[in-house]
Amino acid sequence: MIPGSFDYSAPSSLEEAISLLQQHGDDAKILSGGHSLIPMMKLRLASPAHVIDINRIPDLDYIKEEDGVLRIGALVREADLEESELIRSKYPIIYEATKLIADPSVRNVATLAGNLAHGDAANDHPAVMLALGAELVATGPNGSRTIAIGDFFQGFFTTALEVNEILTEIRIPSPAANSSGTYLKLERKVGDYATAGIALQLALGPQAVCESAGIGLTNVGDMPIKAIAAEQSLVGKTLNDEHMKHAAELASDASDPMPDLRGSAEYKKNMVRVLTYRALKQVVEKILS
Amino acid sequence: MHSITVTVNGQAYTKEVEARLLLVHFIRDVLALTGTHIGCDTSNCGACTILINGRSVKSCTQFAVQADGKEITTVEGMAGEALHPIQEGFKEEHGLQCGFCTPGMIMRASDLLSKNPNPSEEEIRWAISGNLCRCTGYNNIVKAIKYAASKMTEEVVES
């Protein structure tokens, strides 16, 4: 499969990349890892007239934690996350989701920022970022602005990014003490898109009372879903089996899957319930142990 | 057209390429290195796996222009005077039947062993999860990579 013809530029600064975006508008696509864009171009589902390759821009591949915020640059590869000691030890939810994405060769190239900017409800990181309450930094001609992750996904393959903006950084609040998370993904075979996936981040306070809960759902709607009612049902409770089951029902109610080769809508909704309950049990146990 | 310079298996090549030329086509059709195979052409099967700056990459899902200035290794670059220990492993442990997936498997194993010289069976299976083989049932491929790991570790100890 051969993509259509396009003009290619590989700018060496963010300013140059943004000015190219301004020049070409809707006709341009940003290439970072390219593992969503290039397959779409090969299938001719996307035929951008201009491809702007941001991989030559220096200093966008950092993972650093400062002043209570984890900052991840636009060119951090999935494999970088997987190999980061900081991510493994302090952000298990990110580590667990990352190692379930595609396969190691794809993860050597694909980026976290691209996974989010593509706006695909089947991608795994959106749910994780919804659970973690991330903020995304969009850089455009007038500088940078931050977008709360809850406002980022706006519909089927649609995000809050403007045509002339690039997603340059992901900011994640450092987890409180006594908090942890997990990502559970049901897949038909290794590396597949999720039949259903659930990201959970919990913080427990004194007497194991739930102080905060973040729940994101993968591939069970036309965009990534934050299960707000389920989250709210947990906060302020000492989490027993009944609370967990109730929250799992609410998460299932928040999902709105389409039937496809991976299963019926009813099956997928039920899997959201099962995975949410399982994740809650695991994470509470992990924090209390 | 874009002028790119790519070092493949230690040799520098400067070529004029169209932006849409896929890296796997550059390697096979422009450089005539046909050891890198095209299987699914959708980044699923891993037959086209090569190393770019030491990391395994599916060359059907890269443009050749992206490789400008990079170091590429294909299966042709693995053997010296003797077979590379990974190649030897595939031979000794019957890690191939039709051989179509083998170049990709070898390049993927090379990336794995550079990061994890002594992988467990489970780590090997996860590591080749993006490389499909339809002949062997994988058991002998896992054995082949284990063979290579112990051979390469021994070589390090001896040197």
Side-chain angles (χ1 to χ4, degrees):
Chain A
M1 295 178 290
I2 315 287
S5 292
F6 56 89
D7 287 334
Y8 170 87
S9 8
S12 52
S13 73
L14 209 47
E15 293 71 30
E16 206 185 322
I18 289 161
S19 115
L20 285 164
L21 270 182
Q22 275 184 287
Q23 210 178 315
H24 300 299
D26 267 340
D27 291 337
K29 285 298 275 182
I30 294 290
L31 173 69
S32 56
H35 274 54
S36 299
L37 178 63
I38 297 174
M40 285 177 75
M41 290 173 68
K42 289 172 71 176
L43 292 164
R44 308 267 176 140
L45 293 172
S47 299
H50 299 267
V51 169
I52 303 168
D53 178 355
I54 60 170
N55 288 282
R56 310 269 169 185
I57 301 176
D59 305 325
L60 284 178
D61 58 353
Y62 53 86
I63 303 175
K64 58 186 177 192
E65 202 181 32
E66 47 190 33
D67 305 327
V69 180
L70 173 69
R71 294 164 187 268
I72 301 174
L75 289 178
V76 168
R77 314 287 162 182
E78 303 290 359
D80 299 331
L81 293 172
E82 216 180 339
E83 289 164 14
S84 157
E85 196 40 51
L86 173 67
I87 298 294
R88 258 182 213 234
S89 59
K90 212 165 162 184
Y91 300 87
I93 181 175
I94 300 179
Y95 173 67
E96 285 169 20
T98 302
K99 68 187 172 107
L100 294 174
I101 294 171
D103 62 69
S105 296
V106 171
R107 295 198 292 274
N108 275 341
V109 183
T111 62
L112 166 59
N115 191 282
L116 298 171
H118 190 47
D120 187 349
N123 281 355
D124 296 288
H125 283 305
V128 173
M129 296 303 141
L130 285 167
L132 286 168
E135 272 188 343
L136 307 183
V137 180
T139 305
N142 303 318
S144 294
R145 64 180 179 123
T146 56
I147 307 168
I149 190 75
D151 299 328
F152 186 71
F153 302 107
Q154 301 197 330
F156 186 65
F157 284 90
T158 308
T159 71
L161 280 178
E162 299 290 341
V163 190
N164 53 14
E165 285 180 322
I166 298 174
L167 174 51
T168 47
E169 186 179 87
I170 296 98
R171 292 183 185 162
I172 295 160
S174 296
N178 282 326
S179 65
S180 192
T182 195
Y183 185 71
L184 298 183
K185 177 179 181 179
L186 179 68
E187 50 187 5
R188 296 174 302 177
K189 61 183 176 65
V190 67
D192 192 16
Y193 289 112
T195 303
I198 178 232
L200 171 70
Q201 181 74 17
L202 279 183
L204 301 186
Q207 278 86 50
V209 171
C210 176
E211 285 192 331
S212 70
I215 301 176
L217 307 179
T218 300
N219 213 11
V220 285
D222 61 3
M223 59 181 193
I225 292 168
K226 185 168 166 67
I228 297 169
E231 294 173 344
Q232 287 171 347
S233 79
L234 296 164
V235 177
K237 309 271 170 51
T238 301
L239 299 183
N240 60 26
D241 205 56
E242 195 184 324
H243 294 135
M244 294 187 203
K245 283 192 170 140
H246 181 55
E249 293 287 353
L250 292 173
S252 174
D253 291 346
S255 69
D256 185 20
M258 292 285 286
D260 61 16
L261 289 172
R262 295 183 178 83
S264 66
E266 188 191 5
Y267 169 69
K268 292 181 184 183
K269 280 184 91 77
N270 197 31
M271 287 304 105
V272 171
R273 184 184 63 78
V274 169
L275 294 174
T276 306
Y277 176 67
R278 207 175 278 171
L280 281 164
K281 294 266 277 193
Q282 283 179 16
V283 172
V284 168
E285 201 171 297
K286 199 153 62 168
I287 298 173
L288 296 180
S289 66
Chain B
M1 298 291 273
H2 299 259
S3 175
I4 61 168
T5 300
V6 186
T7 301
V8 182
N9 303 329
Q11 190 181 336
Y13 298 88
T14 299
K15 299 281 180 189
E16 294 281 314
V17 297
E18 212 184 332
R20 63 174 173 166
L21 181 71
L22 294 166
L23 183 55
V24 71
H25 291 140
F26 176 76
I27 291 168
R28 288 178 56 86
D29 302 344
V30 179
L31 305 184
L33 293 168
T34 53
T36 302
H37 294 164
I38 300 173
C40 70
D41 203 10
T42 59
S43 84
N44 274 283
C45 81
C48 66
T49 306
I50 57 160
L51 303 181
I52 300 181
N53 294 354
R55 292 189 122 173
S56 69
V57 169
K58 293 181 169 179
S59 62
C60 74
T61 308
Q62 290 265 313
F63 296 116
V65 279
Q66 291 179 268
D68 186 23
K70 304 274 171 71
E71 299 253 349
I72 287 177
T73 310
T74 68
V75 71
E76 289 93 338
M78 293 301 281
E81 288 193 2
L83 287 179
H84 186 280
I86 302 174
Q87 294 172 310
E88 191 184 309
F90 274 75
K91 179 171 170 239
E92 292 300 321
E93 298 291 347
H94 195 76
L96 65 150
Q97 191 170 311
C98 84
F100 197 83
C101 73
T102 313
M105 287 284 182
I106 288 172
M107 303 322 287
R108 178 81 269 281
S110 167
D111 182 354
L112 166 69
L113 296 178
S114 71
K115 287 185 197 139
N116 181 358
N118 190 20
S120 66
E121 174 169 345
E122 189 180 343
E123 286 169 333
I124 294 172
R125 287 184 184 272
W126 274 102
I128 58 169
S129 62
N131 292 72
L132 304 184
C133 169
R134 300 291 79 157
C135 302
T136 70
Y138 299 101
N139 286 336
N140 289 352
I141 293 174
V142 174
K143 282 185 204 160
I145 296 170
K146 279 208 147 164
Y147 176 103
S150 49
K151 175 114 191 193
M152 288 162 75
T153 318
E154 267 169 41
E155 281 175 5
V156 171
V157 172
E158 280 166 17
S159 64

Short mmCIF file of all heavy atoms in Angstrom, two decimals, chain A residues 93-150:
data_model
loop_
_atom_site.label_atom_id
_atom_site.label_comp_id
_atom_site.label_asym_id
_atom_site.label_seq_id
_atom_site.Cartn_x
_atom_site.Cartn_y
_atom_site.Cartn_z
N ILE A 93 0.04 2.95 36.77
CA ILE A 93 -1.08 2.97 35.82
C ILE A 93 -0.57 3.26 34.39
O ILE A 93 -1.03 2.65 33.42
CB ILE A 93 -2.15 4.00 36.27
CG1 ILE A 93 -3.36 4.04 35.33
CG2 ILE A 93 -1.58 5.38 36.42
CD1 ILE A 93 -4.48 4.95 35.82
N ILE A 94 0.42 4.15 34.28
CA ILE A 94 0.96 4.47 32.95
C ILE A 94 1.80 3.29 32.44
O ILE A 94 1.68 2.89 31.28
CB ILE A 94 1.84 5.75 33.00
CG1 ILE A 94 1.00 6.94 33.46
CG2 ILE A 94 2.45 6.03 31.62
CD1 ILE A 94 1.80 8.24 33.56
N TYR A 95 2.61 2.74 33.33
CA TYR A 95 3.46 1.60 32.94
C TYR A 95 2.61 0.43 32.44
O TYR A 95 2.88 -0.16 31.39
CB TYR A 95 4.33 1.19 34.13
CG TYR A 95 5.12 -0.08 33.88
CD1 TYR A 95 6.13 -0.09 32.93
CD2 TYR A 95 4.81 -1.25 34.55
CE1 TYR A 95 6.85 -1.25 32.68
CE2 TYR A 95 5.51 -2.42 34.30
CZ TYR A 95 6.53 -2.42 33.37
OH TYR A 95 7.22 -3.57 33.10
N GLU A 96 1.56 0.12 33.21
CA GLU A 96 0.74 -1.05 32.84
C GLU A 96 -0.02 -0.84 31.53
O GLU A 96 -0.17 -1.78 30.75
CB GLU A 96 -0.24 -1.38 33.99
CG GLU A 96 0.49 -2.04 35.14
CD GLU A 96 -0.34 -2.16 36.39
OE1 GLU A 96 -1.58 -2.09 36.30
OE2 GLU A 96 0.26 -2.32 37.47
N ALA A 97 -0.48 0.38 31.31
CA ALA A 97 -1.18 0.64 30.04
C ALA A 97 -0.19 0.59 28.88
O ALA A 97 -0.48 0.00 27.83
CB ALA A 97 -1.86 2.00 30.10
N THR A 98 0.99 1.17 29.08
CA THR A 98 1.95 1.29 27.98
C THR A 98 2.39 -0.07 27.47
O THR A 98 2.45 -0.31 26.26
CB THR A 98 3.18 2.10 28.46
OG1 THR A 98 2.73 3.37 28.89
CG2 THR A 98 4.19 2.27 27.33
N LYS A 99 2.66 -1.01 28.38
CA LYS A 99 3.18 -2.29 27.91
C LYS A 99 2.11 -3.14 27.20
O LYS A 99 2.44 -4.16 26.59
CB LYS A 99 3.88 -3.06 29.03
CG LYS A 99 3.00 -3.56 30.13
CD LYS A 99 3.85 -4.13 31.25
CE LYS A 99 3.00 -4.45 32.42
NZ LYS A 99 2.68 -5.74 32.79
N LEU A 100 0.86 -2.69 27.26
CA LEU A 100 -0.20 -3.40 26.54
C LEU A 100 -0.51 -2.77 25.18
O LEU A 100 -1.41 -3.22 24.47
CB LEU A 100 -1.48 -3.43 27.38
CG LEU A 100 -1.39 -4.24 28.68
CD1 LEU A 100 -2.67 -4.08 29.49
CD2 LEU A 100 -1.14 -5.71 28.38
N ILE A 101 0.21 -1.72 24.82
CA ILE A 101 -0.06 -1.05 23.55
C ILE A 101 0.75 -1.73 22.44
O ILE A 101 1.97 -1.83 22.52
CB ILE A 101 0.31 0.44 23.64
CG1 ILE A 101 -0.64 1.14 24.62
CG2 ILE A 101 0.24 1.10 22.26
CD1 ILE A 101 -0.26 2.56 24.95
N ALA A 102 0.05 -2.21 21.43
CA ALA A 102 0.69 -2.80 20.24
C ALA A 102 1.80 -3.76 20.63
O ALA A 102 1.56 -4.72 21.37
CB ALA A 102 1.16 -1.71 19.30
N ASP A 103 3.03 -3.54 20.17
CA ASP A 103 4.12 -4.47 20.42
C ASP A 103 5.42 -3.67 20.57
O ASP A 103 5.43 -2.47 20.31
CB ASP A 103 4.23 -5.48 19.27
CG ASP A 103 4.54 -4.80 17.96
OD1 ASP A 103 5.66 -4.28 17.80
OD2 ASP A 103 3.64 -4.75 17.09
N PRO A 104 6.52 -4.32 20.99
CA PRO A 104 7.72 -3.55 21.32
C PRO A 104 8.28 -2.70 20.15
O PRO A 104 8.77 -1.59 20.39
CB PRO A 104 8.74 -4.63 21.73
CG PRO A 104 7.91 -5.78 22.18
CD PRO A 104 6.68 -5.75 21.34
N SER A 105 8.21 -3.19 18.93
CA SER A 105 8.76 -2.39 17.82
C SER A 105 7.91 -1.15 17.57
O SER A 105 8.44 -0.08 17.25
CB SER A 105 8.85 -3.24 16.55
OG SER A 105 9.75 -4.30 16.72
N VAL A 106 6.60 -1.30 17.70
CA VAL A 106 5.72 -0.13 17.56
C VAL A 106 5.99 0.84 18.71
O VAL A 106 6.08 2.07 18.51
CB VAL A 106 4.23 -0.57 17.53
CG1 VAL A 106 3.31 0.65 17.62
CG2 VAL A 106 3.93 -1.36 16.27
N ARG A 107 6.17 0.29 19.92
CA ARG A 107 6.40 1.17 21.08
C ARG A 107 7.75 1.89 21.01
O ARG A 107 7.93 2.89 21.68
CB ARG A 107 6.27 0.37 22.38
CG ARG A 107 4.87 -0.17 22.62
CD ARG A 107 4.65 -0.55 24.07
NE ARG A 107 5.43 -1.70 24.49
CZ ARG A 107 5.08 -2.97 24.36
NH1 ARG A 107 3.92 -3.28 23.78
NH2 ARG A 107 5.85 -3.94 24.81
N ASN A 108 8.68 1.37 20.24
CA ASN A 108 9.96 2.07 20.04
C ASN A 108 9.77 3.39 19.30
O ASN A 108 10.64 4.25 19.33
CB ASN A 108 10.92 1.20 19.22
CG ASN A 108 11.70 0.21 20.09
OD1 ASN A 108 11.80 0.39 21.30
ND2 ASN A 108 12.27 -0.81 19.46
N VAL A 109 8.67 3.52 18.60
CA VAL A 109 8.47 4.67 17.72
C VAL A 109 7.29 5.53 18.18
O VAL A 109 7.36 6.76 18.21
CB VAL A 109 8.23 4.20 16.26
CG1 VAL A 109 8.09 5.40 15.34
CG2 VAL A 109 9.35 3.28 15.79
N ALA A 110 6.17 4.89 18.53
CA ALA A 110 4.93 5.60 18.83
C ALA A 110 5.09 6.47 20.07
O ALA A 110 5.85 6.14 20.98
CB ALA A 110 3.80 4.59 19.04
N THR A 111 4.37 7.59 20.10
CA THR A 111 4.50 8.54 21.22
C THR A 111 3.21 8.62 22.04
O THR A 111 2.11 8.41 21.52
CB THR A 111 4.82 9.95 20.71
OG1 THR A 111 3.73 10.41 19.90
CG2 THR A 111 6.11 9.97 19.89
N LEU A 112 3.38 9.00 23.30
CA LEU A 112 2.23 9.25 24.18
C LEU A 112 1.40 10.41 23.62
O LEU A 112 0.17 10.33 23.52
CB LEU A 112 2.73 9.58 25.60
CG LEU A 112 1.72 10.20 26.56
CD1 LEU A 112 0.51 9.30 26.77
CD2 LEU A 112 2.37 10.50 27.90
N ALA A 113 2.07 11.50 23.23
CA ALA A 113 1.34 12.68 22.75
C ALA A 113 0.53 12.34 21.50
O ALA A 113 -0.62 12.77 21.36
CB ALA A 113 2.31 13.82 22.47
N GLY A 114 1.11 11.55 20.61
CA GLY A 114 0.39 11.16 19.40
C GLY A 114 -0.81 10.29 19.72
O GLY A 114 -1.87 10.42 19.11
N ASN A 115 -0.65 9.42 20.70
CA ASN A 115 -1.72 8.53 21.13
C ASN A 115 -2.93 9.35 21.60
O ASN A 115 -4.07 8.97 21.38
CB ASN A 115 -1.18 7.61 22.24
CG ASN A 115 -2.09 6.46 22.61
OD1 ASN A 115 -3.08 6.67 23.31
ND2 ASN A 115 -1.78 5.26 22.15
N LEU A 116 -2.64 10.51 22.23
CA LEU A 116 -3.72 11.38 22.72
C LEU A 116 -4.26 12.27 21.59
O LEU A 116 -5.48 12.39 21.41
CB LEU A 116 -3.20 12.26 23.86
CG LEU A 116 -2.73 11.51 25.12
CD1 LEU A 116 -2.04 12.47 26.08
CD2 LEU A 116 -3.89 10.82 25.81
N ALA A 117 -3.35 12.87 20.83
CA ALA A 117 -3.76 13.86 19.82
C ALA A 117 -4.57 13.23 18.69
O ALA A 117 -5.35 13.91 18.03
CB ALA A 117 -2.54 14.57 19.25
N HIS A 118 -4.37 11.91 18.49
CA HIS A 118 -5.12 11.22 17.44
C HIS A 118 -6.62 11.18 17.76
O HIS A 118 -7.45 11.06 16.87
CB HIS A 118 -4.55 9.81 17.29
CG HIS A 118 -5.05 9.05 16.11
ND1 HIS A 118 -5.10 9.59 14.85
CD2 HIS A 118 -5.54 7.80 15.99
CE1 HIS A 118 -5.60 8.70 14.01
NE2 HIS A 118 -5.87 7.60 14.67
N GLY A 119 -6.96 11.28 19.04
CA GLY A 119 -8.37 11.38 19.44
C GLY A 119 -9.17 10.10 19.23
O GLY A 119 -10.39 10.15 19.10
N ASP A 120 -8.49 8.97 19.21
CA ASP A 120 -9.16 7.69 18.95
C ASP A 120 -9.60 7.06 20.28
O ASP A 120 -8.78 6.84 21.17
CB ASP A 120 -8.16 6.77 18.24
CG ASP A 120 -8.77 5.46 17.76
OD1 ASP A 120 -9.92 5.16 18.17
OD2 ASP A 120 -8.10 4.75 16.99
N ALA A 121 -10.88 6.77 20.39
CA ALA A 121 -11.43 6.18 21.62
C ALA A 121 -10.86 4.80 21.89
O ALA A 121 -10.95 4.28 23.00
CB ALA A 121 -12.95 6.09 21.52
N ALA A 122 -10.25 4.18 20.86
CA ALA A 122 -9.68 2.85 21.02
C ALA A 122 -8.25 2.90 21.58
O ALA A 122 -7.72 1.88 22.01
CB ALA A 122 -9.66 2.11 19.68
N ASN A 123 -7.63 4.07 21.57
CA ASN A 123 -6.28 4.19 22.12
C ASN A 123 -6.33 4.07 23.65
O ASN A 123 -7.34 4.40 24.27
CB ASN A 123 -5.65 5.52 21.71
CG ASN A 123 -5.11 5.47 20.29
OD1 ASN A 123 -5.12 4.42 19.65
ND2 ASN A 123 -4.65 6.60 19.79
N ASP A 124 -5.22 3.63 24.23
CA ASP A 124 -5.24 3.31 25.66
C ASP A 124 -4.90 4.50 26.57
O ASP A 124 -5.40 4.57 27.69
CB ASP A 124 -4.24 2.18 25.94
CG ASP A 124 -4.65 0.89 25.23
OD1 ASP A 124 -5.64 0.27 25.67
OD2 ASP A 124 -4.03 0.52 24.23
N HIS A 125 -4.03 5.41 26.12
CA HIS A 125 -3.61 6.49 27.02
C HIS A 125 -4.71 7.49 27.39
O HIS A 125 -4.67 8.04 28.49
CB HIS A 125 -2.41 7.24 26.45
CG HIS A 125 -1.12 6.50 26.60
ND1 HIS A 125 -0.66 6.05 27.82
CD2 HIS A 125 -0.18 6.14 25.69
CE1 HIS A 125 0.51 5.44 27.64
NE2 HIS A 125 0.81 5.46 26.36
N PRO A 126 -5.69 7.76 26.49
CA PRO A 126 -6.71 8.72 26.90
C PRO A 126 -7.39 8.35 28.23
O PRO A 126 -7.53 9.20 29.12
CB PRO A 126 -7.71 8.68 25.73
CG PRO A 126 -6.84 8.39 24.55
CD PRO A 126 -5.82 7.40 25.06
N ALA A 127 -7.76 7.09 28.40
CA ALA A 127 -8.42 6.67 29.64
C ALA A 127 -7.49 6.86 30.84
O ALA A 127 -7.91 7.30 31.91
CB ALA A 127 -8.85 5.20 29.54
N VAL A 128 -6.20 6.55 30.63
CA VAL A 128 -5.22 6.70 31.71
C VAL A 128 -5.11 8.17 32.12
O VAL A 128 -5.11 8.51 33.30
CB VAL A 128 -3.85 6.16 31.26
CG1 VAL A 128 -2.77 6.45 32.29
CG2 VAL A 128 -3.94 4.66 30.98
N MET A 129 -5.06 9.04 31.12
CA MET A 129 -4.91 10.47 31.42
C MET A 129 -6.18 11.04 32.05
O MET A 129 -6.13 11.93 32.89
CB MET A 129 -4.55 11.23 30.13
CG MET A 129 -3.20 10.82 29.57
SD MET A 129 -1.86 11.05 30.77
CE MET A 129 -0.85 9.61 30.46
N LEU A 130 -7.35 10.49 31.65
CA LEU A 130 -8.60 10.90 32.30
C LEU A 130 -8.59 10.49 33.77
O LEU A 130 -9.00 11.25 34.65
CB LEU A 130 -9.81 10.27 31.58
CG LEU A 130 -10.19 10.89 30.23
CD1 LEU A 130 -11.16 9.99 29.48
CD2 LEU A 130 -10.80 12.28 30.41
N ALA A 131 -8.10 9.29 34.05
CA ALA A 131 -8.04 8.80 35.43
C ALA A 131 -7.06 9.62 36.27
O ALA A 131 -7.27 9.83 37.46
CB ALA A 131 -7.67 7.32 35.45
N LEU A 132 -5.98 10.07 35.64
CA LEU A 132 -4.94 10.81 36.37
C LEU A 132 -5.21 12.31 36.44
O LEU A 132 -4.49 13.04 37.12
CB LEU A 132 -3.58 10.58 35.70
CG LEU A 132 -2.92 9.21 35.90
CD1 LEU A 132 -1.74 9.04 34.96
CD2 LEU A 132 -2.46 9.06 37.35
N GLY A 133 -6.22 12.78 35.74
CA GLY A 133 -6.50 14.22 35.74
C GLY A 133 -5.39 15.04 35.10
O GLY A 133 -4.97 16.07 35.63
N ALA A 134 -4.90 14.59 33.95
CA ALA A 134 -3.79 15.27 33.27
C ALA A 134 -4.23 16.61 32.69
O ALA A 134 -5.42 16.88 32.53
CB ALA A 134 -3.25 14.37 32.15
N GLU A 135 -3.22 17.42 32.38
CA GLU A 135 -3.43 18.65 31.61
C GLU A 135 -2.55 18.56 30.38
O GLU A 135 -1.42 18.07 30.46
CB GLU A 135 -2.95 19.86 32.40
CG GLU A 135 -3.98 20.45 33.31
CD GLU A 135 -3.46 21.77 33.90
OE1 GLU A 135 -2.24 22.03 33.86
OE2 GLU A 135 -4.29 22.51 34.40
N LEU A 136 -3.06 19.03 29.25
CA LEU A 136 -2.27 18.96 28.04
C LEU A 136 -1.86 20.38 27.63
O LEU A 136 -2.67 21.31 27.73
CB LEU A 136 -3.08 18.31 26.92
CG LEU A 136 -3.68 16.94 27.27
CD1 LEU A 136 -4.40 16.35 26.07
CD2 LEU A 136 -2.62 15.98 27.78
N VAL A 137 -0.62 20.52 27.18
CA VAL A 137 -0.15 21.82 26.74
C VAL A 137 -0.20 21.86 25.21
O VAL A 137 0.41 21.03 24.54
CB VAL A 137 1.29 22.08 27.23
CG1 VAL A 137 1.78 23.45 26.75
CG2 VAL A 137 1.35 21.98 28.75
N ALA A 138 -0.95 22.82 24.70
CA ALA A 138 -1.05 23.01 23.25
C ALA A 138 -0.28 24.27 22.91
O ALA A 138 -0.50 25.32 23.52
CB ALA A 138 -2.50 23.14 22.83
N THR A 139 0.64 24.16 21.93
CA THR A 139 1.43 25.32 21.55
C THR A 139 1.05 25.75 20.14
O THR A 139 1.01 24.93 19.22
CB THR A 139 2.93 25.00 21.64
OG1 THR A 139 3.20 24.51 22.96
CG2 THR A 139 3.79 26.22 21.38
N GLY A 140 0.73 27.04 20.01
CA GLY A 140 0.33 27.58 18.71
C GLY A 140 1.01 28.92 18.47
O GLY A 140 1.94 29.28 19.19
N PRO A 141 0.54 29.65 17.46
CA PRO A 141 1.19 30.92 17.09
C PRO A 141 1.21 31.94 18.23
O PRO A 141 2.08 32.79 18.29
CB PRO A 141 0.34 31.45 15.94
CG PRO A 141 -0.57 30.34 15.55
CD PRO A 141 -0.59 29.31 16.60
N ASN A 142 0.22 31.86 19.13
CA ASN A 142 0.18 32.84 20.23
C ASN A 142 0.75 32.29 21.52
O ASN A 142 0.41 32.76 22.60
CB ASN A 142 -1.26 33.31 20.45
CG ASN A 142 -1.85 33.90 19.18
OD1 ASN A 142 -1.18 34.64 18.47
ND2 ASN A 142 -3.08 33.52 18.87
N GLY A 143 1.57 31.28 21.44
CA GLY A 143 2.16 30.70 22.65
C GLY A 143 1.44 29.44 23.07
O GLY A 143 0.79 28.78 22.25
N SER A 144 1.55 29.12 24.36
CA SER A 144 0.99 27.86 24.85
C SER A 144 -0.23 28.09 25.71
O SER A 144 -0.37 29.11 26.37
CB SER A 144 2.05 27.14 25.70
OG SER A 144 3.12 26.76 24.88
N ARG A 145 -1.12 27.10 25.69
CA ARG A 145 -2.25 27.10 26.62
C ARG A 145 -2.41 25.69 27.15
O ARG A 145 -1.94 24.73 26.54
CB ARG A 145 -3.54 27.56 25.93
CG ARG A 145 -3.97 26.61 24.82
CD ARG A 145 -5.26 27.08 24.14
NE ARG A 145 -5.62 26.13 23.07
CZ ARG A 145 -6.79 25.48 23.00
NH1 ARG A 145 -7.71 25.65 23.93
NH2 ARG A 145 -7.03 24.66 22.00
N THR A 146 -3.03 25.57 28.33
CA THR A 146 -3.25 24.23 28.86
C THR A 146 -4.72 23.86 28.70
O THR A 146 -5.60 24.71 28.79
CB THR A 146 -2.87 24.13 30.35
OG1 THR A 146 -3.59 25.11 31.07
CG2 THR A 146 -1.38 24.34 30.56
N ILE A 147 -4.94 22.60 28.44
CA ILE A 147 -6.30 22.08 28.26
C ILE A 147 -6.48 20.95 29.26
O ILE A 147 -5.67 20.01 29.30
CB ILE A 147 -6.50 21.53 26.82
CG1 ILE A 147 -6.11 22.58 25.77
CG2 ILE A 147 -7.93 21.04 26.62
CD1 ILE A 147 -6.01 22.03 24.35
N ALA A 148 -7.51 21.05 30.08
CA ALA A 148 -7.80 19.95 31.02
C ALA A 148 -8.19 18.74 30.19
O ALA A 148 -8.91 18.87 29.19
CB ALA A 148 -8.93 20.35 31.96
N ILE A 149 -7.72 17.55 30.61
CA ILE A 149 -7.98 16.35 29.81
C ILE A 149 -9.48 16.12 29.62
O ILE A 149 -9.92 15.66 28.57
CB ILE A 149 -7.27 15.11 30.42
CG1 ILE A 149 -7.33 13.91 29.48
CG2 ILE A 149 -7.81 14.76 31.79
CD1 ILE A 149 -6.41 13.97 28.32
N GLY A 150 -10.26 16.52 30.63
CA GLY A 150 -11.72 16.35 30.54
C GLY A 150 -12.35 17.16 29.42
O GLY A 150 -13.45 16.86 28.96
#
